Amino acid sequence: MFVALRENGEYLSLVEKWERSDLLELRSHVTFHCPACQSKVQLKAGLKKTPHFAHLKGVECTVKTEPESEYHLAGKRQLFQWFQTQGYDVKLEPFLPEISQRPDLLVTTSNKRFAIEYQCSQLDYPLFKKRSDSYKKEGIVPIWILGAKWFKRMSTHSVKLSPFQWLFATSFNQPIQPCILYYCPDTSTFLKLSNLHSFTTGEVFCSICFYKEKGVSFLNLLEPYNHPFTLHHVWGRKKQKWRASYSIYNSNHLSSFLTTLYQKRIPPAYLPGEAGLPVPSSYWFHTPPMIWQMWILLDLLLQLRKGEPFFFSTVMEVISKRIDSKDIVIRQLPLVSHTQYSLAVEEYLQVLVKAGSLKKISKTKYEKTKDFIIPMSLEVASAMDEKMLASVGKHEENGLVQDNIGRDLNRD
């Protein structure tokens, strides 16, 4: 906590630089109170940590907050100063009595208010959603920024994202794909993940961009990142690896999937090329595309005869049943409100139409135009993947380009 209420009713902010001697003098004769719960707080001005206020031992604030590390305090202070230098009306830790919440920062522009939450510790989904929904009800736009220590890079174009990190996926400009923001106070650098394409439950292909604090404005940071790229090359290599060693990607919902494949005498390494294709809205699925798309093939498309029609609603019934049986898991994305997982399913069918596997008869009606082939070797499977992904690549509109000033923030 950087802000406290003095005995005389004035607020004291520690975001500006104070001499330690002045703070010690102030502490000796002034009593401070929490702006939210009005209980006494103590001014801590040690030699190691950033000066801050803290509730007395055993006193629990009525506004639920997490313990703040030095990393968190530094980041919050820097973000406050970053908004100030851009001329924004920004308040530090203001208490909002109408919703009993205290955002890290409250930024007011000519027509909007933004609640900036800088999160460095784990937060469970119910509390995250409650806070976000409360801001929205008051007409305040929640902007959640992760501490960059959460950033885990796996390769040039992929990162590891936990379910917790996925909560931060936000669509700032509808209907643009969501992105995730990080901030590192040690290097004064923003990190932005865009064009999120899940491959497994944890690994995600994406655009990875780094922005120095002094080189980017708030509005620029919220703008979409649109650079052309070819995703299918990196996706194809990863898909080949999955085919050759699918067992290492084992998860709870893979057991039922493998059992069904064996019952239908389909080796997991020899899934048809139509399974496991990247689609823009696949971020809605926690279940990997190799699996949720194959369920559509197993439960419907493989059973249809060539030339047989079907409706989009039938595909959604297949998905719904697999969700009910927990064979398919949908992500919890409280900050993405303009789409739902049905869009990813529709995009998948559109890809199959473009590849010539399906024909779209009307807005909701499709027809199977050719049989789906089960490959008999990894070589044939790889060739099928390349053909399908090349077809997808012709229609890609998103970009996977890494900013050339990018660097790993995990060294600290």
Side-chain angles (χ1 to χ4, degrees):
M1 184 191 300
F2 278 119
V3 177
L5 189 65
R6 306 192 205 194
E7 284 181 316
N8 60 7
E10 295 180 354
Y11 285 93
L12 175 68
S13 172
L14 299 182
V15 74
E16 306 296 343
K17 290 186 177 181
W18 286 73
E19 292 294 332
R20 182 170 178 267
S21 57
D22 293 335
L23 292 177
L24 294 177
E25 171 64 22
L26 197 63
R27 187 175 67 179
S28 66
H29 64 272
V30 177
T31 301
F32 302 99
H33 297 82
C34 172
C37 67
Q38 302 302 314
S39 61
K40 288 184 179 180
V41 293
Q42 55 185 322
L43 171 57
K44 294 193 171 184
L47 296 174
K48 294 182 178 181
K49 293 186 177 182
T50 301
H52 62 281
F53 295 103
H55 285 81
L56 301 177
K57 189 175 181 180
V59 176
E60 187 172 345
C61 184
T62 54
V63 177
K64 186 174 178 58
T65 58
E66 299 79 39
E68 295 183 307
S69 64
E70 179 69 12
Y71 188 88
H72 186 189
L73 291 169
K76 187 160 59 175
R77 182 181 67 247
Q78 290 176 25
L79 289 172
F80 175 82
Q81 294 168 344
W82 179 66
F83 279 108
Q84 268 196 332
T85 58
Q86 296 174 69
Y88 286 107
D89 175 8
V90 53
K91 292 181 174 59
L92 182 70
E93 302 173 346
F95 177 61
L96 307 178
E98 58 274 17
I99 55 176
S100 296
Q101 289 186 194
R102 183 163 53 89
D104 288 330
L105 305 172
L106 184 66
V107 179
T108 303
T109 65
S110 58
N111 59 352
K112 285 184 181 179
R113 287 192 298 167
F114 297 87
I116 311 298
E117 294 281 13
Y118 182 55
Q119 194 68 29
C120 297
S121 59
Q122 188 82 30
L123 187 67
D124 60 23
Y125 170 75
L127 182 55
F128 185 98
K129 189 174 187 307
K130 177 181 177 294
R131 289 186 183 178
S132 301
D133 289 347
S134 295
Y135 290 134
K136 292 177 185 177
K137 288 178 181 177
E138 290 299 316
I140 301 173
V141 180
I143 303 290
W144 289 81
I145 303 175
L146 271 167
K149 288 185 176 181
W150 285 95
F151 175 61
K152 304 295 179 184
R153 197 171 205 154
M154 297 186 72
S155 69
T156 303
H157 296 303
S158 68
V159 299
K160 184 176 182 179
L161 291 182
S162 65
F164 167 67
Q165 288 174 272
W166 269 107
L167 295 178
F168 292 73
T170 309
S171 294
F172 299 116
N173 297 288
Q174 299 180 9
I176 299 299
Q177 278 191 309
C179 64
I180 299 176
L181 294 176
Y182 301 77
Y183 182 71
C184 177
D186 294 340
T187 59
S188 302
T189 303
F190 288 100
L191 166 61
K192 185 176 182 179
L193 305 184
S194 308
N195 304 317
L196 306 167
H197 288 79
S198 295
F199 186 84
T200 65
T201 56
E203 186 169 7
V204 179
F205 288 105
C206 59
S207 303
I208 306 173
C209 307
F210 296 80
Y211 306 94
K212 288 304 257 182
E213 174 197 298
K214 294 181 179 179
V216 65
S217 69
F218 178 49
L219 293 180
N220 290 151
L221 194 63
L222 302 187
E223 289 178 352
Y225 183 76
N226 293 322
H227 287 269
F229 84 105
T230 301
L231 171 63
H232 78 266
H233 292 307
V234 291
W235 190 276
R237 289 194 296 269
K238 195 69 178 181
K239 196 172 177 182
Q240 288 179 33
K241 183 179 179 181
W242 191 96
R243 290 184 181 278
S245 54
Y246 61 87
S247 61
I248 69 172
Y249 299 101
N250 195 12
S251 58
N252 294 334
H253 53 263
L254 193 57
S255 176
S256 175
F257 178 71
L258 294 178
T259 299
T260 304
L261 289 180
Y262 288 133
Q263 289 173 347
K264 295 182 178 294
R265 298 182 179 180
I266 302 176
Y270 300 158
L271 302 186
E274 289 84 356
L277 299 175
V279 295
S281 300
S282 63
Y283 53 80
W284 275 109
F285 286 90
H286 176 73
T287 302
M290 290 289 287
I291 299 176
W292 70 262
Q293 293 174 14
M294 189 60 192
W295 278 126
I296 295 176
L297 300 183
L298 289 169
D299 292 345
L300 179 63
L301 298 185
L302 288 176
Q303 300 178 27
L304 297 177
R305 299 185 304 275
K306 182 180 177 181
E308 188 172 354
F310 64 95
F311 290 91
F312 180 73
S313 59
T314 307
V315 183
M316 289 307 299
E317 287 175 8
V318 166
I319 293 291
S320 297
K321 288 179 180 178
R322 289 299 172 183
I323 292 174
D324 291 341
S325 62
K326 302 190 185 306
D327 293 320
I328 292 178
V329 179
I330 302 301
R331 279 203 174 93
Q332 296 174 318
L333 302 174
L335 301 180
V336 181
S337 58
H338 64 282
T339 67
Q340 52 187 344
Y341 66 86
S342 60
L343 180 59
V345 178
E346 184 178 2
E347 290 168 349
Y348 175 56
L349 296 181
Q350 290 174 350
V351 168
L352 296 184
V353 169
K354 292 171 183 176
S357 303
L358 302 177
K359 178 182 179 181
K360 191 168 186 178
I361 300 175
S362 68
K363 186 176 181 180
T364 60
K365 191 176 182 180
Y366 296 81
E367 179 184 293
K368 182 177 178 179
T369 55
K370 69 177 184 181
D371 291 325
F372 296 87
I373 299 173
I374 306 299
M376 301 307 293
S377 67
L378 286 176
E379 290 74 17
V380 173
S382 178
M384 292 175 64
D385 289 340
E386 182 61 29
K387 183 178 179 180
M388 286 298 302
L389 289 167
S391 177
V392 174
K394 292 178 182 178
H395 305 282
E396 284 174 345
E397 296 179 353
N398 294 318
L400 259 185
V401 180
Q402 183 195 357
D403 195 292
N404 58 13
I405 64 170
R407 53 194 170 127
D408 196 340
L409 298 181
N410 284 314
R411 298 179 199 169
D412 51 16

